[in-house]
Amino acid sequence: MTEEVFRDDAYAARCEAVVVGVDGANVYLDRTVLYPTGGGQPGDRGRLVLADGDVLEVADTLKGPHGVAHRLADGQSAPAPGTRLTAEVDWPRRYQLMRMHSAMHLLCKAVDCPVTGGQVGEAKSRLDFDAGETRLDKEAIAARLAEWVALDRPIRHLWIDADELQSRPELVRTMSVRPPTTGGRLRLVEIEGLDLQACGGTHVRSTGEIGALTVGKIENKGRQNRRVNIALAE
Ligand SMILES: [Zn+2]
């Protein structure tokens, strides 16, 4: 399986790697900085740079049967297994996704209702809540998000045993349906003093990096389901 450099270091924009398998347009590497679609966060785009300077465009990154699958854009031939190359993520896009994904944790905290679904995007993101009888107030949500961004709270990763999670089900509640485990361990994301939950996505280092957010209209999606849309303001 692929060594997932982005799990411990979301800020790694490139890494040296070796091609370990090819399946059609999907290239498998021994290690990668590209995040595969999962937990509501879209897969990365990027490039594979060969030793002779040739560049292969990665159109999408997915979880495949042999690890992280780098799907090449149409019309490119995959490098042979054993090829050494540099994997590079489309950093401006990924950084926006990291800010957005981190903002979703704050949104989840700002709305004290069970989450029923969500999608992170580079331009805008959304979470769906089972609001019951609670009326969601757009202005109040926006004010809470702004306050927590201004606090610039650190965002850290912690690891626990998968077994321990069984006794703390409250840690699984939002972004990912089933958080990834690595060697029987499971990653938690802590926003100091605000939020702690299991999550395998990519996050910024502090809430200040998220920057200003706008809260869009709150949509009715079913009798009790409410969709909250947010976007990066800059
Ligand atoms: Zn997360």
Side-chain angles (χ1 to χ4, degrees):
M1 298 306 270
T2 320
E3 180 192 339
E4 300 176 331
V5 175
F6 54 82
R7 293 256 186 246
D8 286 318
D9 184 7
Y11 287 80
R14 59 180 56 78
C15 71
E16 305 294 311
V18 178
V19 177
V20 294
V22 174
D23 177 11
N26 292 332
V27 178
Y28 293 92
L29 306 174
D30 63 338
R31 57 207 298 267
T32 191
V33 292
L34 279 77
Y35 179 84
T37 304
Q41 184 176 329
D44 279 327
R45 297 179 202 139
R47 292 160 291 278
L48 305 180
V49 182
L50 306 180
D52 63 7
D54 273 3
V55 174
L56 300 170
E57 296 292 334
V58 177
D60 199 1
T61 308
L62 305 151
K63 285 179 186 139
H66 313 295
V68 177
H70 305 77
R71 180 159 299 168
L72 298 180
D74 290 345
Q76 304 178 100
S77 19
T83 303
R84 291 181 177 279
L85 50 74
T86 303
E88 295 182 353
V89 66
D90 176 344
W91 176 251
R93 176 175 180 269
R94 155 68 93 67
Y95 188 57
Q96 268 186 281
L97 289 169
M98 284 162 58
R99 291 167 63 202
M100 267 296 189
H101 183 123
S102 305
M104 300 284 265
H105 284 255
L106 296 185
L107 178 57
C108 171
K109 169 77 175 173
V111 179
D112 188 21
C113 299
V115 174
T116 56
Q119 181 62 49
V120 178
E122 66 233 67
K124 58 178 202 167
S125 302
R126 60 177 164 80
L127 278 181
D128 293 347
F129 296 93
D130 180 353
E133 301 305 311
T134 310
R135 197 187 141 272
L136 303 189
D137 180 342
K138 177 180 146 171
E139 304 305 328
I141 294 168
R144 258 176 239 145
L145 296 178
E147 181 194 333
W148 294 334
V149 167
L151 286 174
D152 197 19
R153 286 288 171 80
I155 302 178
R156 300 189 192 92
H157 293 160
L158 311 163
W159 294 86
I160 62 168
D161 291 336
D163 294 343
E164 193 183 338
L165 187 74
Q166 306 287 341
S167 58
R168 302 181 68 186
E170 74 279 8
L171 293 175
V172 180
R173 55 170 216 267
T174 60
M175 315 291 297
S176 48
V177 181
R178 186 78 194 88
T181 51
T182 307
R185 292 189 315 160
L186 185 129
R187 200 183 72 183
L188 301 181
V189 175
E190 178 193 41
I191 303 180
E192 194 180 277
L194 293 175
D195 187 45
L196 176 66
Q197 61 179 280
C199 183
T202 59
H203 309 84
V204 291
R205 292 190 185 105
S206 72
T207 57
E209 277 193 46
I210 295 168
L213 296 164
T214 54
V215 179
K217 70 172 189 294
I218 295 173
E219 300 173 83
N220 289 346
K221 294 282 173 182
R223 198 165 59 88
Q224 297 190 332
N225 220 41
R226 299 290 176 269
R227 175 166 293 175
V228 182
N229 297 282
I230 62 171
L232 300 174
E234 58 214 35

